[in-house]
mmCIF file of all heavy atoms in Angstrom:
data_model
loop_
_atom_site.group_PDB
_atom_site.id
_atom_site.type_symbol
_atom_site.label_atom_id
_atom_site.label_comp_id
_atom_site.label_asym_id
_atom_site.label_seq_id
_atom_site.Cartn_x
_atom_site.Cartn_y
_atom_site.Cartn_z
ATOM 1 N N ALA A 1 -63.445 5.655 -1.910
ATOM 2 C CA ALA A 1 -63.602 6.780 -2.957
ATOM 3 C C ALA A 1 -65.043 7.240 -3.132
ATOM 4 O O ALA A 1 -65.303 8.399 -3.242
ATOM 5 C CB ALA A 1 -62.959 6.223 -4.237
ATOM 6 N N LYS A 2 -65.867 6.261 -3.318
ATOM 7 C CA LYS A 2 -67.332 6.612 -3.472
ATOM 8 C C LYS A 2 -67.793 7.373 -2.254
ATOM 9 O O LYS A 2 -68.696 8.315 -2.403
ATOM 10 C CB LYS A 2 -68.178 5.363 -3.716
ATOM 11 C CG LYS A 2 -67.921 4.883 -5.103
ATOM 12 C CD LYS A 2 -68.889 3.635 -5.436
ATOM 13 C CE LYS A 2 -68.498 3.075 -6.792
ATOM 14 N NZ LYS A 2 -69.367 1.883 -7.003
ATOM 15 N N VAL A 3 -67.555 6.958 -1.020
ATOM 16 C CA VAL A 3 -68.075 7.617 0.238
ATOM 17 C C VAL A 3 -67.544 9.000 0.168
ATOM 18 O O VAL A 3 -68.318 9.966 0.614
ATOM 19 C CB VAL A 3 -67.545 6.865 1.446
ATOM 20 C CG1 VAL A 3 -67.927 7.541 2.675
ATOM 21 C CG2 VAL A 3 -68.106 5.472 1.407
ATOM 22 N N ARG A 4 -66.318 9.254 -0.195
ATOM 23 C CA ARG A 4 -65.748 10.614 -0.099
ATOM 24 C C ARG A 4 -66.605 11.634 -1.130
ATOM 25 O O ARG A 4 -66.513 12.787 -1.010
ATOM 26 C CB ARG A 4 -64.390 10.659 -0.426
ATOM 27 C CG ARG A 4 -63.434 10.038 0.747
ATOM 28 C CD ARG A 4 -61.998 10.476 0.518
ATOM 29 N NE ARG A 4 -61.420 9.920 -0.756
ATOM 30 C CZ ARG A 4 -60.817 8.820 -0.790
ATOM 31 N NH1 ARG A 4 -60.708 8.006 0.320
ATOM 32 N NH2 ARG A 4 -60.297 8.431 -1.945
ATOM 33 N N LEU A 5 -67.261 11.026 -2.144
ATOM 34 C CA LEU A 5 -68.017 11.868 -3.074
ATOM 35 C C LEU A 5 -69.302 12.408 -2.425
ATOM 36 O O LEU A 5 -69.801 13.397 -2.894
ATOM 37 C CB LEU A 5 -68.425 10.937 -4.262
ATOM 38 C CG LEU A 5 -67.242 10.584 -5.209
ATOM 39 C CD1 LEU A 5 -67.773 9.682 -6.259
ATOM 40 C CD2 LEU A 5 -66.487 11.719 -5.763
ATOM 41 N N LEU A 6 -69.664 11.796 -1.284
ATOM 42 C CA LEU A 6 -70.993 12.220 -0.636
ATOM 43 C C LEU A 6 -70.795 13.410 0.203
ATOM 44 O O LEU A 6 -69.810 13.489 0.897
ATOM 45 C CB LEU A 6 -71.556 11.107 0.127
ATOM 46 C CG LEU A 6 -71.853 9.788 -0.557
ATOM 47 C CD1 LEU A 6 -72.294 8.738 0.501
ATOM 48 C CD2 LEU A 6 -72.888 9.905 -1.741
ATOM 49 N N THR A 7 -71.773 14.295 0.176
ATOM 50 C CA THR A 7 -71.633 15.476 1.066
ATOM 51 C C THR A 7 -72.286 14.905 2.470
ATOM 52 O O THR A 7 -72.645 13.727 2.493
ATOM 53 C CB THR A 7 -72.648 16.542 0.685
ATOM 54 O OG1 THR A 7 -74.081 16.041 0.723
ATOM 55 C CG2 THR A 7 -72.410 17.010 -0.775
ATOM 56 N N ASP A 8 -72.119 15.621 3.507
ATOM 57 C CA ASP A 8 -72.547 15.235 4.796
ATOM 58 C C ASP A 8 -73.965 14.865 4.811
ATOM 59 O O ASP A 8 -74.473 13.856 5.398
ATOM 60 C CB ASP A 8 -72.274 16.304 5.880
ATOM 61 C CG ASP A 8 -70.772 16.528 6.191
ATOM 62 O OD1 ASP A 8 -70.018 15.560 5.796
ATOM 63 O OD2 ASP A 8 -70.367 17.544 6.677
ATOM 64 N N ARG A 9 -74.868 15.754 4.094
ATOM 65 C CA ARG A 9 -76.222 15.475 3.980
ATOM 66 C C ARG A 9 -76.497 14.239 3.242
ATOM 67 O O ARG A 9 -77.390 13.433 3.632
ATOM 68 C CB ARG A 9 -76.958 16.640 3.345
ATOM 69 C CG ARG A 9 -78.363 16.417 3.081
ATOM 70 C CD ARG A 9 -79.149 16.255 4.467
ATOM 71 N NE ARG A 9 -79.554 17.451 5.046
ATOM 72 C CZ ARG A 9 -80.031 17.627 6.259
ATOM 73 N NH1 ARG A 9 -80.310 16.497 6.981
ATOM 74 N NH2 ARG A 9 -80.362 18.810 6.747
ATOM 75 N N GLU A 10 -75.807 13.994 2.127
ATOM 76 C CA GLU A 10 -75.949 12.757 1.366
ATOM 77 C C GLU A 10 -75.598 11.489 2.137
ATOM 78 O O GLU A 10 -76.223 10.444 1.979
ATOM 79 C CB GLU A 10 -75.250 12.861 0.054
ATOM 80 C CG GLU A 10 -75.803 13.856 -0.968
ATOM 81 C CD GLU A 10 -74.896 14.250 -2.096
ATOM 82 O OE1 GLU A 10 -73.670 13.826 -1.998
ATOM 83 O OE2 GLU A 10 -75.307 14.975 -2.965
ATOM 84 N N ARG A 11 -74.597 11.634 2.890
ATOM 85 C CA ARG A 11 -74.204 10.520 3.748
ATOM 86 C C ARG A 11 -75.246 10.234 4.760
ATOM 87 O O ARG A 11 -75.613 9.009 5.052
ATOM 88 C CB ARG A 11 -72.826 10.832 4.474
ATOM 89 C CG ARG A 11 -72.228 9.749 5.248
ATOM 90 C CD ARG A 11 -70.944 10.325 5.989
ATOM 91 N NE ARG A 11 -70.305 9.378 6.767
ATOM 92 C CZ ARG A 11 -69.307 8.548 6.381
ATOM 93 N NH1 ARG A 11 -68.826 8.840 5.156
ATOM 94 N NH2 ARG A 11 -68.649 7.715 7.160
ATOM 95 N N GLU A 12 -75.821 11.269 5.259
ATOM 96 C CA GLU A 12 -76.968 11.128 6.247
ATOM 97 C C GLU A 12 -78.113 10.435 5.628
ATOM 98 O O GLU A 12 -78.799 9.603 6.112
ATOM 99 C CB GLU A 12 -77.363 12.486 6.767
ATOM 100 C CG GLU A 12 -78.309 12.495 7.948
ATOM 101 C CD GLU A 12 -78.478 13.910 8.480
ATOM 102 O OE1 GLU A 12 -78.297 14.812 7.699
ATOM 103 O OE2 GLU A 12 -78.946 13.955 9.616
ATOM 104 N N ILE A 13 -78.483 10.805 4.331
ATOM 105 C CA ILE A 13 -79.535 10.213 3.534
ATOM 106 C C ILE A 13 -79.206 8.723 3.316
ATOM 107 O O ILE A 13 -80.162 7.849 3.481
ATOM 108 C CB ILE A 13 -79.673 10.964 2.277
ATOM 109 C CG1 ILE A 13 -80.207 12.493 2.536
ATOM 110 C CG2 ILE A 13 -80.750 10.192 1.268
ATOM 111 C CD1 ILE A 13 -81.580 12.491 2.964
ATOM 112 N N LEU A 14 -77.994 8.409 3.024
ATOM 113 C CA LEU A 14 -77.712 7.017 2.735
ATOM 114 C C LEU A 14 -77.921 6.113 3.979
ATOM 115 O O LEU A 14 -78.437 5.135 3.827
ATOM 116 C CB LEU A 14 -76.231 6.936 2.220
ATOM 117 C CG LEU A 14 -75.692 5.486 1.986
ATOM 118 C CD1 LEU A 14 -76.591 4.652 1.032
ATOM 119 C CD2 LEU A 14 -74.252 5.521 1.531
ATOM 120 N N ILE A 15 -77.427 6.642 5.078
ATOM 121 C CA ILE A 15 -77.661 5.886 6.345
ATOM 122 C C ILE A 15 -79.138 5.734 6.580
ATOM 123 O O ILE A 15 -79.625 4.768 7.066
ATOM 124 C CB ILE A 15 -76.981 6.711 7.501
ATOM 125 C CG1 ILE A 15 -75.477 6.623 7.351
ATOM 126 C CG2 ILE A 15 -77.414 5.998 8.921
ATOM 127 C CD1 ILE A 15 -74.717 7.477 8.315
ATOM 128 N N ALA A 16 -79.976 6.819 6.318
ATOM 129 C CA ALA A 16 -81.447 6.741 6.542
ATOM 130 C C ALA A 16 -82.022 5.647 5.575
ATOM 131 O O ALA A 16 -82.904 4.853 6.000
ATOM 132 C CB ALA A 16 -82.111 8.058 6.282
ATOM 133 N N ILE A 17 -81.590 5.575 4.301
ATOM 134 C CA ILE A 17 -82.045 4.566 3.409
ATOM 135 C C ILE A 17 -81.727 3.239 3.943
ATOM 136 O O ILE A 17 -82.530 2.308 3.950
ATOM 137 C CB ILE A 17 -81.324 4.785 1.993
ATOM 138 C CG1 ILE A 17 -81.886 6.100 1.374
ATOM 139 C CG2 ILE A 17 -81.774 3.611 1.063
ATOM 140 C CD1 ILE A 17 -81.125 6.458 0.088
ATOM 141 N N ALA A 18 -80.487 3.017 4.385
ATOM 142 C CA ALA A 18 -79.978 1.692 4.905
ATOM 143 C C ALA A 18 -80.759 1.331 6.137
ATOM 144 O O ALA A 18 -80.966 0.132 6.427
ATOM 145 C CB ALA A 18 -78.531 1.796 5.257
ATOM 146 N N THR A 19 -81.300 2.260 6.920
ATOM 147 C CA THR A 19 -82.065 2.035 8.030
ATOM 148 C C THR A 19 -83.492 1.482 7.663
ATOM 149 O O THR A 19 -84.170 0.864 8.426
ATOM 150 C CB THR A 19 -82.327 3.301 8.939
ATOM 151 O OG1 THR A 19 -81.016 3.767 9.306
ATOM 152 C CG2 THR A 19 -83.147 3.039 10.183
ATOM 153 N N GLY A 20 -83.899 1.772 6.408
ATOM 154 C CA GLY A 20 -85.213 1.354 5.883
ATOM 155 C C GLY A 20 -86.231 2.435 5.941
ATOM 156 O O GLY A 20 -87.434 2.116 5.653
ATOM 157 N N TRP A 21 -85.903 3.729 6.089
ATOM 158 C CA TRP A 21 -86.796 4.783 6.134
ATOM 159 C C TRP A 21 -87.258 5.071 4.764
ATOM 160 O O TRP A 21 -86.453 4.958 3.684
ATOM 161 C CB TRP A 21 -86.153 6.007 6.720
ATOM 162 C CG TRP A 21 -85.886 5.907 8.135
ATOM 163 C CD1 TRP A 21 -86.147 5.015 8.945
ATOM 164 C CD2 TRP A 21 -85.237 6.906 8.901
ATOM 165 N NE1 TRP A 21 -85.735 5.188 10.296
ATOM 166 C CE2 TRP A 21 -85.138 6.382 10.323
ATOM 167 C CE3 TRP A 21 -84.638 8.163 8.608
ATOM 168 C CZ2 TRP A 21 -84.420 7.091 11.325
ATOM 169 C CZ3 TRP A 21 -84.034 8.925 9.633
ATOM 170 C CH2 TRP A 21 -83.856 8.387 10.932
ATOM 171 N N THR A 22 -88.522 5.335 4.495
ATOM 172 C CA THR A 22 -89.094 5.816 3.198
ATOM 173 C C THR A 22 -88.844 7.310 3.116
ATOM 174 O O THR A 22 -88.389 7.921 4.003
ATOM 175 C CB THR A 22 -90.728 5.557 3.211
ATOM 176 O OG1 THR A 22 -91.193 6.372 4.264
ATOM 177 C CG2 THR A 22 -90.967 4.133 3.468
ATOM 178 N N ASN A 23 -89.083 7.755 1.837
ATOM 179 C CA ASN A 23 -88.862 9.233 1.562
ATOM 180 C C ASN A 23 -89.627 10.107 2.596
ATOM 181 O O ASN A 23 -89.130 11.045 3.158
ATOM 182 C CB ASN A 23 -89.167 9.619 0.146
ATOM 183 C CG ASN A 23 -87.929 9.181 -0.767
ATOM 184 O OD1 ASN A 23 -87.088 8.561 -0.252
ATOM 185 N ND2 ASN A 23 -88.084 9.450 -2.075
ATOM 186 N N PRO A 24 -90.956 9.785 2.843
ATOM 187 C CA PRO A 24 -91.751 10.645 3.728
ATOM 188 C C PRO A 24 -91.138 10.551 5.227
ATOM 189 O O PRO A 24 -91.099 11.569 5.924
ATOM 190 C CB PRO A 24 -93.125 10.026 3.713
ATOM 191 C CG PRO A 24 -93.266 9.469 2.332
ATOM 192 C CD PRO A 24 -91.885 8.867 2.093
ATOM 193 N N GLU A 25 -90.625 9.427 5.647
ATOM 194 C CA GLU A 25 -89.995 9.222 6.970
ATOM 195 C C GLU A 25 -88.784 10.034 6.999
ATOM 196 O O GLU A 25 -88.438 10.696 8.114
ATOM 197 C CB GLU A 25 -89.769 7.811 7.283
ATOM 198 C CG GLU A 25 -91.004 7.030 7.534
ATOM 199 C CD GLU A 25 -90.715 5.586 7.664
ATOM 200 O OE1 GLU A 25 -89.823 5.022 7.050
ATOM 201 O OE2 GLU A 25 -91.492 4.879 8.443
ATOM 202 N N ILE A 26 -87.966 9.971 5.969
ATOM 203 C CA ILE A 26 -86.744 10.747 5.924
ATOM 204 C C ILE A 26 -86.987 12.294 5.995
ATOM 205 O O ILE A 26 -86.409 13.117 6.754
ATOM 206 C CB ILE A 26 -85.807 10.492 4.668
ATOM 207 C CG1 ILE A 26 -85.429 9.126 4.665
ATOM 208 C CG2 ILE A 26 -84.660 11.379 4.614
ATOM 209 C CD1 ILE A 26 -84.713 8.602 3.428
ATOM 210 N N ALA A 27 -87.977 12.632 5.286
ATOM 211 C CA ALA A 27 -88.457 14.115 5.242
ATOM 212 C C ALA A 27 -88.824 14.504 6.643
ATOM 213 O O ALA A 27 -88.408 15.627 7.031
ATOM 214 C CB ALA A 27 -89.482 14.333 4.174
ATOM 215 N N GLU A 28 -89.635 13.740 7.276
ATOM 216 C CA GLU A 28 -90.165 14.141 8.626
ATOM 217 C C GLU A 28 -89.044 14.176 9.599
ATOM 218 O O GLU A 28 -88.981 15.158 10.399
ATOM 219 C CB GLU A 28 -91.154 13.178 9.049
ATOM 220 C CG GLU A 28 -91.854 13.495 10.384
ATOM 221 C CD GLU A 28 -92.837 12.487 10.738
ATOM 222 O OE1 GLU A 28 -93.201 11.601 10.029
ATOM 223 O OE2 GLU A 28 -93.260 12.567 11.960
#
């Protein structure tokens, strides 16, 4: 249910967070 609330971009951001990327790394 919670996963379905995420947009495709938000899902991508969550995976990036889980990978350990910082905000600047995600932005780049």
Side-chain angles (χ1 to χ4, degrees):
K2 288 182 180 179
V3 174
R4 288 198 298 268
L5 293 175
L6 301 178
T7 66
D8 289 343
R9 175 62 83 183
E10 289 166 351
R11 187 184 181 96
E12 191 175 22
I13 293 291
L14 176 56
I15 293 172
I17 293 172
T19 302
W21 293 355
T22 63
N23 282 3
E25 288 174 327
I26 296 174
E28 178 181 357

